[in-house]
Amino acid sequence: MVKRAGIVGAGIAGIASAIRLANKGYHVDVYEANTYPGGKLSEIKLGDYRFDAGPSLFTLPELVDELFTLSGEQIQDHFEYQHLPVACHYFYEDGTFLKAYADREKFLEEVSQKTTESSQTIQAALDRSSYLYDTLSDLFMKRSLHRWQTFVNKKAWRAYSKLHRLDFFRSMHQANQQQFQDKRVVQLFNRYATYNGSNPYEAPATMNIIPHLEFNIGAYFPTRGMYSITDSLYKLAQRLGVRFHFQSQVKEIETDNSGVKGINVAGEIQHYDVVVSNMDVVNTYRKLLPKVKPPTRLLNQPKSSSALIFYWGVNHSFPELDLHNIFFSQNYQQEFEHIFQKKTIYHDPTVYVNITAKYKTDDAPPGAENWFTMINVPNNEGQDWDALINQARNSIIDKVSNRLGVNVGSKIVAEDILDPRTIESRTSSSQGALYGNSSNNRYAAFLRHANFSRKIKGLYFCGGSVHPGGGIPLSLLSAKIAVDQIK
């Protein structure tokens, strides 16, 4: 008899789980409350402007390649991407402008010429990041941390022998401050804590593994935009026979003493041998597992930051901007104190501007640009968001206008806004946190929920709120870790 699998949520990890289960021979149904697939990785259209709604940085493309290969298809027939020659443009308040070239020698020369940091120091930092990745990725990113087999193998013993070099006991900022002399370079490397919604002044220095993905492996851009990741995988899943049910909100995951029984959708129970929840793990327990005692300690861990995003159609072209752009705050530490301790928005936030029209020209009219303009903000704890959004909008426009020498506000002809409240309502992310629990703790990797339930046989979890974390690469890995444990 063919086994059946039900998946809660058509986010990118849910779709990836469906593809993997279909390749294992399961009949798969995916239930999604929204009218579209992708979760955070969706798109928005405002007149002639198109925006990728959520994640905007594409790294480790081989994780997408793998899903096509597993399914016996050639990825180039369905999905294309290119390596970026420049990962990001960095703008500092003192007027410094840096290009993060993909070419190592060009990047080292750029930083050494425009800051007081030597190319040798930058090279050492990138080598250090590579070392952390080579040592830790198999153990902490690609395997379950909740199975004893993970810790009893050759790769694990190799990591144990190097624990003294893996920087668990310093903060990310402490490590960067000791390594670099120039505060602008410290700030550049500190920013990678935001890739999983954490605070570089609290997160462990092992988080310096993240720059390796961008500087050593490379940043990429899908030819048809980030949403094409969702679209291509969604269509792949359909070709494999996966059935998607949109506007189908799951009421409960049905269980009994023997394990998972199925999914309750609109009062009707669908029976499954396996259920995978791509819903935020906090809301999975609170809303879908009312009869199951929740792992309170894990669920109550501090949450990651959230985001405030302005989608701006701008009727002007800025040649000094690229696909990815960062306008740094003057006082980074104060900014993070506002986000994580004061639970508000700093008056001088670091601003990220993503302009896909730089590579996908039909995302905006000729001579215009589509600005995905984001700042990191606290998760939703009942703040007066309307007031905060108004203040932040003015701060962002003033900051970017001063740096570019153009009144950006006067060039905005279309606008939409995504804030922690709407992130929470649209994606069921607890408190609108983008990445589940924060990593502001040296034990954070072990304080994420496992990709399976110890109490309920047949129940599994994937997505940004469980191990190994959020963002496209880690969400795809979470699906792999979950499904690899299913027979």
Side-chain angles (χ1 to χ4, degrees):
M1 181 180 294
V2 176
K3 290 185 177 180
R4 303 182 70 230
I7 297 178
V8 182
I12 196 69
I15 298 172
S17 296
I19 291 169
R20 292 183 177 278
L21 283 166
N23 277 289
K24 281 179 175 273
Y26 278 79
H27 282 176
V28 185
D29 289 288
V30 181
Y31 297 92
E32 170 59 52
N34 289 310
T35 59
Y36 54 86
K40 298 182 184 76
L41 192 55
S42 57
E43 67 178 356
I44 292 173
K45 294 181 180 178
L46 299 176
D48 293 329
Y49 297 87
R50 191 202 72 88
F51 304 84
D52 290 312
S56 56
L57 178 68
F58 187 34
T59 57
L60 298 182
E62 61 267 26
L63 295 176
V64 177
D65 292 11
E66 183 181 346
L67 294 171
F68 284 92
T69 302
L70 181 67
S71 305
E73 297 193 10
Q74 298 295 319
I75 188 171
Q76 59 267 25
D77 294 336
H78 308 282
F79 177 71
E80 296 180 346
Y81 56 89
Q82 63 189 103
H83 185 259
L84 294 175
V86 176
C88 190
H89 283 189
Y90 292 100
F91 299 84
Y92 293 83
E93 285 294 298
D94 66 358
T96 303
F97 168 61
L98 293 176
K99 288 187 179 182
Y101 290 102
D103 182 280
R104 174 69 64 87
E105 293 305 316
K106 289 182 71 174
F107 177 62
L108 295 178
E109 183 180 2
E110 174 83 353
V111 177
S112 62
Q113 285 186 350
K114 295 184 177 180
T115 73
T116 60
E117 210 65 63
S118 70
S119 58
Q120 292 82 3
T121 305
I122 303 296
Q123 178 70 61
L126 297 181
D127 289 345
R128 172 71 175 164
S129 184
S130 177
Y131 173 83
L132 289 172
Y133 185 85
D134 291 343
T135 305
L136 295 174
S137 61
D138 276 326
L139 184 62
F140 286 94
M141 289 171 57
K142 300 178 182 180
R143 297 170 182 258
S144 171
L145 294 182
H146 304 84
R147 299 282 192 191
W148 64 266
Q149 295 93 334
T150 296
F151 300 96
V152 185
N153 58 70
K154 289 182 179 179
K155 289 183 177 179
W157 289 113
R158 176 171 168 259
Y160 301 153
S161 68
K162 301 175 181 178
L163 282 177
H164 63 291
R165 298 180 60 191
L166 299 181
D167 249 351
F168 286 105
F169 302 104
R170 291 189 296 176
S171 72
M172 194 177 192
H173 174 70
Q174 287 172 333
N176 289 331
Q177 191 175 41
Q178 289 177 20
Q179 178 145 18
F180 304 118
Q181 300 300 313
D182 194 303
K183 65 180 182 180
R184 291 166 294 186
V185 179
V186 173
Q187 190 171 25
L188 191 156
F189 278 83
N190 276 354
R191 74 167 283 257
Y192 289 95
T194 66
Y195 277 45
N196 68 354
S198 299
N199 179 351
Y201 300 90
E202 295 181 349
T206 46
M207 295 284 288
N208 281 318
I209 191 175
I210 299 175
H212 175 73
L213 302 181
E214 188 172 307
F215 287 112
N216 297 329
I217 297 177
Y220 298 80
F221 180 70
T223 304
R224 293 181 289 117
M226 294 294 288
Y227 180 67
S228 67
I229 300 173
T230 291
D231 187 55
S232 63
L233 293 180
Y234 169 58
K235 290 175 179 174
L236 172 60
Q238 288 182 310
R239 291 195 296 275
L240 293 171
V242 175
R243 295 170 294 274
F244 287 84
H245 308 271
F246 295 104
Q247 293 182 291
S248 298
Q249 186 167 3
V250 173
K251 300 298 183 184
E252 186 173 343
I253 296 173
E254 298 288 337
T255 65
D256 63 17
N257 291 333
S258 64
V260 74
K261 303 303 292 181
I263 292 174
N264 183 329
V265 184
E268 185 176 339
I269 298 175
Q270 304 293 330
H271 295 280
Y272 294 103
D273 301 285
V274 167
V275 170
V276 181
S277 178
N278 182 210
M279 189 179 189
D280 184 285
V281 71
V282 173
N283 287 330
T284 296
Y285 277 98
R286 291 178 179 171
K287 297 181 179 181
L288 306 185
L289 293 166
K291 301 167 191 168
V292 177
K293 183 179 179 181
T296 304
R297 180 168 172 264
L298 289 182
L299 302 187
N300 288 343
Q301 288 297 312
K303 298 295 177 282
S304 78
S305 60
S306 187
L308 172 59
I309 305 171
F310 296 93
Y311 304 96
W312 286 336
V314 177
N315 64 354
H316 189 82
S317 180
F318 294 86
E320 60 268 63
L321 299 181
D322 198 50
L323 174 66
H324 301 293
N325 308 274
I326 294 285
F327 295 80
F328 277 123
S329 65
Q330 181 72 35
N331 191 325
Y332 219 30
Q333 188 163 7
Q334 278 290 312
E335 181 180 2
F336 282 97
E337 285 180 5
H338 277 72
I339 295 171
F340 287 97
Q341 278 78 49
K342 298 180 180 180
K343 304 294 183 180
T344 189
I345 300 175
Y346 189 47
H347 69 85
D348 174 31
T350 294
V351 180
Y352 167 67
V353 180
N354 172 247
I355 309 171
T356 59
K358 295 290 185 179
Y359 280 80
K360 186 175 179 292
T361 57
D362 62 349
D363 279 353
E369 296 177 350
N370 60 331
W371 282 31
F372 169 109
T373 310
M374 187 195 87
I375 61 172
N376 296 299
V377 300
N379 53 57
N380 183 24
E381 295 188 7
Q383 295 94 327
D384 184 351
W385 285 109
D386 292 333
L388 289 175
I389 290 168
N390 185 59
Q391 294 166 12
R393 186 181 189 278
N394 292 332
S395 297
I396 292 169
I397 290 174
D398 288 346
K399 180 184 185 72
V400 177
S401 296
N402 289 337
R403 190 64 181 83
L404 297 177
V406 175
N407 182 354
V408 171
S410 68
K411 307 299 181 183
I412 298 170
V413 295
E415 180 178 75
D416 198 1
I417 300 172
L418 187 68
D419 64 63
R421 298 168 301 181
T422 44
I423 292 172
E424 186 171 16
S425 63
R426 292 179 191 176
T427 66
S428 291
S429 301
S430 179
Q431 298 176 227
L434 293 181
Y435 308 100
N437 292 350
S438 78
S439 294
N440 298 335
N441 185 307
R442 70 184 61 157
Y443 307 110
F446 300 94
L447 295 175
R448 283 189 175 272
H449 196 286
N451 303 84
F452 63 94
S453 171
R454 294 189 185 278
K455 295 181 180 179
I456 306 168
K457 183 180 179 181
L459 178 60
Y460 298 85
F461 304 88
C462 66
S465 66
V466 297
H467 178 70
I472 297 172
L474 297 186
S475 289
L476 292 174
L477 284 172
S478 76
K480 185 178 190 303
I481 293 169
V483 176
D484 280 352
Q485 298 174 80
I486 300 172
K487 304 298 184 183

